[in-house]
Amino acid sequence: YGNKVNSLTISPNPASTFISVDSGLPLIPGSELEIISASGSLIRKISYTDNPFPVSLTDLPNGIYLLRLINNQQYLTGKLVVDHK
């Protein structure tokens, strides 16, 4: 089945303003990145268009979030810490 990549590269992390997210995979049109709160609520859904992909964090409160990339029936996840010092 080839190499299965199961995590996103998120940098910097912790972050306060912007992050760069890299899936390391070829993307298909319609790929989406979800930002999910620690309580499991979907905060934001973004069309993911390119690697690395910039994401603004300025409207997110401090906390721990799950990032989930949905790409061609594959799910990749990563943990993000937002810390506006």
Side-chain angles (χ1 to χ4, degrees), residues 5 7-9 21-27 48 51 69 76:
V5 179
S7 64
L8 295 169
T9 302
V21 180
D22 194 335
S23 70
L25 294 177
L27 296 170
Y48 191 104
N51 282 311
L69 174 64
L76 291 95

Side-chain angles (χ1 to χ4, degrees), residues 38-83:
S39 64
S41 300
L42 179 62
I43 304 294
R44 192 187 306 160
K45 189 180 279 197
I46 310 163
S47 292
Y48 191 104
T49 54
D50 202 7
N51 282 311
F53 186 73
V55 179
S56 172
L57 306 174
T58 52
D59 61 335
L60 289 181
N62 286 356
I64 298 172
Y65 297 86
L66 177 72
L67 299 187
R68 180 168 59 193
L69 174 64
I70 303 158
N71 177 43
N72 193 24
Q73 307 297 315
Q74 289 183 302
Y75 293 81
L76 291 95
T77 59
K79 188 173 83 169
L80 166 66
V81 177
V82 176
D83 183 10

Side-chain angles (χ1 to χ4, degrees), residues 3-35:
N3 292 334
K4 178 166 172 46
V5 179
N6 58 11
S7 64
L8 295 169
T9 302
I10 301 166
S11 60
N13 196 358
S16 61
T17 54
F18 277 90
I19 54 170
S20 173
V21 180
D22 194 335
S23 70
L25 294 177
L27 296 170
I28 62 157
S31 296
E32 291 183 319
L33 182 70
E34 297 178 339
I35 301 176

